[in-house]
Amino acid sequence: MIIRKILTVLCGAVAILIAADAVAHETGDIVKPNFEQAIPNLPGKSLVAVEVVYPPGGASAPHVHAKSAFIYAYVVSGAIESKVNDGEVRVYRSGESWSEPPGASHSVSRNASKTRSAKLLAIFVVDSNDKELTTPVR
């Protein structure tokens, strides 16, 4: 009888930990490399593209971009709320885009929806030796 109670409590604790871990992952973003190529006529520069997928309610932590990176961002699906440098918080919808200057600070980057996923394609023109495209703000 006591063993059954202990097993029940342990199973419940494991279920809670698994659920908490799943929720933590659902609130972040998923960044997937898409393309990387040196730019032949711009020595020392590369073109790098990444897909950023935001689950419902997901967000990126505040971050800064590489000091050499000029960025073009295109919303593939859904709606993304963004704030770059001292600009206003703005919602960009599927098919809309914006650019970010080198060294931009990105204090807000999140899915504008709590119920639907959103996807962004970010294209960086960056110094080829800049491998850290984003650095979290602490």
Side-chain angles (χ1 to χ4, degrees), residues 1-11:
M1 188 63 129
I2 292 175
I3 292 176
R4 179 179 266 185
K5 286 183 182 181
I6 291 171
L7 286 175
T8 302
V9 169
L10 285 175
C11 287

Side-chain angles (χ1 to χ4, degrees), residues 61-116:
H63 57 276
V64 294
H65 291 293
K67 293 198 181 308
S68 70
F70 174 78
I71 303 161
Y72 170 76
Y74 177 81
V75 180
V76 176
S77 62
I80 295 175
E81 207 169 2
S82 181
K83 176 179 169 50
V84 178
N85 292 333
D86 294 329
E88 304 260 334
V89 174
R90 180 160 174 214
V91 175
Y92 296 90
R93 302 188 189 296
S94 181
E96 295 182 321
S97 61
W98 71 92
S99 65
E100 300 180 21
S105 173
H106 215 150
S107 59
V108 175
S109 185
R110 63 181 164 231
N111 189 338
S113 172
K114 302 283 187 215
T115 60
R116 295 181 48 170

Side-chain angles (χ1 to χ4, degrees), residues 100-134:
E100 300 180 21
S105 173
H106 215 150
S107 59
V108 175
S109 185
R110 63 181 164 231
N111 189 338
S113 172
K114 302 283 187 215
T115 60
R116 295 181 48 170
S117 293
K119 185 190 289 188
L120 170 76
L121 179 65
I123 301 168
F124 294 71
V125 176
V126 64
D127 287 349
S128 297
N129 59 357
D130 270 347
K131 297 302 178 191
E132 292 295 323
L133 300 178
T134 62

